[in-house]
Amino acid sequence: MNISVRSAPLTRPEKIGLGVIAVVALLAPVIFSNFFLSALLTQAIWLGLVALSLIFLSSYGGMVSLAQVAIFGIAGLVTANLSEAEGGLSVAIDPWLAAIIAILVAVAVALIFGAIASRSEGIYFLMITLAFGVMVYYFFGQVTSLAGHGGVNNVAIPGIVGDRVNDPASFYYVSLAVAAACYFGLRYLGRTPFGLTLQGIRDEPTRMRALGYHVEVHRTLAFGVAGLVAALAGVLFVWWGRRIGPGAVELATVIDVLVVAVIGGLYRLHGAWVGALAFVLLDNYTRRWTPEIGDILGPERFNTLLGLIFLAIVLISPGGLVGAYESLRDRVRAYFAGRRGDVQEDASLAPPAPDGASGAAAGAPADRPNGPVAAQADVTFQRSKTQTATPEIGGEE
Amino acid sequence: MPEKATADARPILSLKGIGRRFGGLDAVRGVDLEIKPGERRAILGPNGAGKTTLFNLISGEFPPTSGTVHLFGEDVSALPARKRARMGLARTFQTSRLFGGLTVEDNVYLAVLGVRDGHLRPVLNHEDSEMRERAREIATQMGLGEVLDREVAELSHGEQRQLEVAMARATDPKLMLLDEPAAGLSRTERQTLTELLLGLPEDITLVIIEHDMDVALRVATWVTMMYEGQVIAEGTPDEIRANEMVHDLYLGRRHAA
């Protein structure tokens, strides 16, 4: 499969849509109730950040990591222990300093995890990162001097950030700013030598080695970058709930984050928040909406409905909700392009690209025309590859 | 004969008794090979002769089980592929290994960047504009000027093979290994490719594995014939064409089929 992180240039309706979303995001404290803002939107923001670290590794690096929740938890646990709290060490240093140290520790752990995992691929990579996740979970559960007996509670948070219950707007804006910085930072990183190298490694590590790149070092550093994003989410999580316990890093959470990333779209960074918002809303409202159908379904069995909805999303669109949207948009565009001109193929193959000149400049936007037939071309490419491969005996390739 | 002209020059590549075993299979057995600077060498042989394994040993994909590889006068037998690449060795792959999710320009850009420093640079600067300029220049030279902004997965098979060569070329190599560059190409595309190969700067030393005689014997000035992991004949293209054993093992079998 060819992963491409590029998306088609934005159409006017899409720009308007994005503008509306931005305005709603900025005015959310005015528009929504305090419950919706602090319990749902803010949760979606930090949950999306954890998913973002996973999506970054998978879309830019081709590494689906199950260790991101562990990094998230480590950052949270260190923050909670260094700040004033009940349970844990309660070192009681300044919450900001606690957060900074926590982030550094979490990134260091991410680099160690990365160094170990970077030599493996596919299912082995998945198993190694899963092992990291489970390791951290048991650490939380068993080292009670750090994780407390009922978790670490009543963690002190910086005044400016504000308690999410008493000052939901302030906490929301801090979370939003962190999320925006991570999103735009990673998008920018994707076009730099570091980011393009990572994408090359995702597509063909063997070729990258033959071009002079150190594949393992690069993968390890990418793990560090993703670790930074997960660590920021961990700090937000602890400040949000003012507590952390083993439940934060249990296997169910690992699965939740994977589900968020997959239903949002594993190949688009913004899919993280599309998935997180869908997840948080469904998780909250299916409890009320689930219809009563004998013994099979009912409000107390909302997880069944939740599972069915996620299954449907993944079955309908492998690219998640973002992928579903993009393919729908491309179809609509191809339909109108077909109606407008006689030369249907040409029109659908290359949507008019006004960025021809600007695209030539270094650091051109990652969004360039990407024909709606890309998926189709992908199939033919794979086919021609197999056809032309000369059958040679085992050792040849 | 170019062999004589460069007879005194030190070999750019020298293999001594090199061998590689895969389980019970001796893919390459005790091969000696010397390539002089500026040479154009073709390596021929039926499928399974060990040609690609030989390339993998030279480029450092995996270490030899016996023998040594000297590159530009240095023993590189224990060096990983990336270090050999940075010494001035470039290669293409029998089955295209391209970055399918990136554009043609990005692919060549990564080739240009690979042999330089700054792989980890997390910001854009003037060097990137210069490297992109260079990438576009090379891609255009190799006939890909029209498709610079296309994603590689959308290219035709022929364009992908051209890009394979363009990426090797973009590293400004001293030695270039081409593994069946014409595989799966149409007659016209093969002619285009042959012209591209003949047009490469003369100071780039070429070693080419190719089943297609029109391409291989036109580009090469000296031919090495392999069979079952060993070198069985060497000579000029004309000598190889006339060699009985070569005919029986390879040309004969191929043309009789």
Side-chain angles (χ1 to χ4, degrees):
Chain A
M1 165 156 54
N2 284 292
I3 303 171
S4 169
V5 295
R6 299 190 316 155
S7 33
L10 294 175
T11 57
R12 183 171 296 168
E14 281 178 317
K15 280 179 188 161
I16 295 169
L18 276 182
V20 170
I21 290 173
V23 168
V24 170
L26 286 173
L27 297 180
V30 184
I31 303 171
F32 301 109
S33 72
N34 277 357
F35 165 76
F36 192 91
L37 185 73
S38 77
L40 302 186
L41 279 187
T42 311
Q43 189 192 351
I45 291 177
W46 62 252
L47 183 61
L49 262 182
V50 193
L52 179 74
S53 81
L54 193 160
I55 291 179
F56 168 71
L57 280 181
S58 88
S59 64
Y60 285 85
M63 301 179 273
V64 178
S65 159
L66 298 180
Q68 300 318 106
V69 169
I71 308 294
F72 155 88
I74 289 170
L77 189 70
V78 175
T79 309
N81 272 282
L82 293 182
S83 308
E84 194 181 342
E86 291 160 21
L89 298 177
S90 189
V91 179
I93 58 170
D94 179 68
W96 286 112
L97 189 60
I100 291 167
I101 296 173
I103 289 165
L104 291 177
V105 170
V107 169
V109 173
L111 288 172
I112 295 169
F113 283 0
I116 298 168
S118 65
R119 278 158 217 288
S120 61
E121 281 176 32
I123 187 81
Y124 302 102
F125 181 88
L126 206 67
M127 292 309 293
I128 288 177
T129 55
L130 179 63
F132 291 149
V134 173
M135 246 163 59
V136 169
Y137 169 64
Y138 280 111
F139 182 90
F140 269 56
Q142 290 168 353
V143 185
T144 48
S145 57
L146 293 177
H149 288 282
V152 185
N153 299 298
N154 278 329
V155 179
I157 56 175
I160 309 165
V161 175
D163 187 281
R164 67 143 165 151
V165 182
N166 302 322
D167 195 358
S170 152
F171 197 97
Y172 168 81
Y173 282 125
V174 170
S175 311
L176 189 67
V178 172
C182 288
Y183 173 72
F184 290 109
L186 289 184
R187 273 186 68 117
Y188 174 80
L189 189 67
R191 304 193 298 267
T192 64
F194 182 86
L196 281 166
T197 299
L198 189 59
Q199 293 173 64
I201 290 171
R202 168 199 67 201
D203 288 347
E204 275 296 347
T206 306
R207 159 72 78 171
M208 288 301 274
R209 288 190 187 98
L211 286 175
Y213 292 91
H214 201 312
V215 169
E216 287 75 23
V217 163
H218 220 87
R219 281 189 180 142
T220 303
L221 290 172
F223 233 87
V225 173
L228 174 64
V229 175
L232 285 165
V235 172
L236 284 179
F237 167 75
V238 167
W239 285 353
W240 180 76
R242 302 198 54 183
R243 73 173 305 275
I244 187 165
V249 290
E250 65 187 2
L251 207 51
T253 315
V254 175
I255 294 167
D256 283 351
V257 169
L258 191 63
V259 166
V260 165
V262 171
I263 62 171
L266 260 182
Y267 306 120
R268 294 283 183 268
L269 294 179
H270 54 274
W273 288 287
V274 174
L277 195 61
F279 184 92
V280 167
L281 292 178
L282 285 170
D283 188 42
N284 187 63
Y285 290 109
T286 43
R287 284 163 214 247
R288 297 186 213 166
W289 293 345
T290 309
E292 199 93 44
I293 308 176
D295 278 350
I296 306 165
L297 215 57
E300 72 281 6
R301 297 253 171 94
F302 72 96
N303 271 325
T304 311
L305 183 66
L306 204 58
L308 287 174
I309 294 172
F310 293 154
L311 191 64
I313 293 173
V314 175
L315 280 179
I316 292 166
S317 165
L321 291 170
V322 173
Y325 165 74
E326 285 182 4
S327 72
L328 188 71
R329 176 201 57 199
D330 290 343
R331 263 185 223 179
V332 170
R333 204 181 280 177
Y335 173 76
F336 283 113
R339 282 201 356 176
R340 210 180 297 132
D342 298 329
V343 255
Q344 191 175 335
E345 294 92 327
D346 286 357
S348 66
L349 248 173
D355 70 337
S358 67
D367 296 350
R368 279 185 226 149
N370 177 6
V373 290
Q376 207 179 316
D378 185 20
V379 175
T380 30
F381 165 57
Q382 294 296 353
R383 200 175 294 149
S384 68
K385 232 179 165 178
T386 31
Q387 267 174 4
T388 51
T390 325
E392 300 230 345
I393 51 161
E396 279 288 288
E397 230 335 86
Chain B
M1 224 166 71
E3 270 299 289
K4 279 175 193 159
T6 54
D8 299 327
R10 288 180 57 185
I12 199 165
L13 170 72
S14 133
L15 306 178
K16 290 196 187 75
I18 199 138
R20 174 73 201 196
R21 239 185 124 76
F22 292 106
L25 173 78
D26 278 309
V28 170
R29 300 188 271 183
V31 167
D32 295 309
L33 189 73
E34 280 207 347
I35 309 280
K36 303 248 160 54
E39 230 192 285
R40 302 281 150 120
R41 173 81 61 107
I43 297 181
L44 303 184
N47 289 339
K51 308 180 298 292
T52 297
T53 303
L54 193 73
F55 265 26
N56 287 337
L57 291 169
I58 298 171
S59 68
E61 205 105 316
F62 39 70
T65 30
S66 61
T68 57
V69 181
H70 281 80
L71 199 57
F72 316 122
E74 272 181 63
D75 186 349
V76 298
S77 314
L79 285 190
R82 70 189 156 82
K83 290 202 174 153
R84 300 189 200 188
R86 293 175 72 98
M87 289 170 73
L89 170 69
R91 70 166 297 183
T92 69
F93 293 85
Q94 187 181 3
T95 325
S96 297
R97 286 184 181 275
L98 304 167
F99 313 127
L102 298 177
T103 62
V104 170
E105 184 182 309
D106 286 343
N107 270 257
V108 186
Y109 164 87
L110 281 177
V112 174
L113 173 67
V115 290
R116 302 193 189 191
D117 294 327
H119 298 174
L120 306 178
R121 182 156 48 81
V123 288
L124 291 165
N125 66 20
H126 64 277
E127 270 181 76
D128 295 292
S129 346
E130 186 249 321
M131 284 190 281
R132 288 200 172 270
E133 189 59 46
R134 177 84 183 127
R136 285 196 290 270
E137 193 184 302
I138 300 268
T140 309
Q141 272 174 27
M142 304 307 273
L144 295 164
E146 305 288 311
V147 292
L148 284 173
D149 282 335
R150 290 274 286 280
E151 236 167 67
V152 165
E154 297 172 37
L155 297 185
S156 72
H157 176 74
E159 286 166 332
Q160 293 192 357
R161 297 309 289 171
Q162 263 163 274
L163 180 55
E164 274 279 324
V165 182
M167 284 171 74
R169 169 75 187 85
T171 67
D172 280 322
K174 288 183 262 186
L175 173 61
M176 216 161 137
L177 309 177
L178 302 171
D179 195 349
E180 290 195 43
L185 295 188
S186 71
R187 179 183 291 269
T188 339
E189 287 170 330
R190 283 198 304 258
Q191 276 163 2
T192 316
L193 182 83
T194 311
E195 296 307 320
L196 283 177
L197 295 181
L198 289 171
L200 286 174
E202 286 186 6
D203 55 343
I204 297 181
T205 309
L206 267 190
V207 182
I208 175 171
I209 294 176
E210 186 51 68
H211 282 302
D212 189 291
M213 293 300 143
D214 297 335
V215 180
L217 298 184
R218 235 188 109 200
V219 173
T221 47
W222 193 252
V223 182
T224 298
M225 179 76 198
M226 283 183 76
Y227 183 65
E228 292 189 343
Q230 287 172 308
V231 172
I232 53 161
E234 286 200 329
T236 63
D238 288 337
E239 285 165 9
I240 289 293
R241 269 199 199 93
N243 188 315
E244 276 296 312
M245 186 167 59
V246 171
H247 260 267
D248 289 348
L249 283 177
Y250 188 55
L251 300 176
R253 200 166 78 179
R254 190 181 157 92
H255 289 297

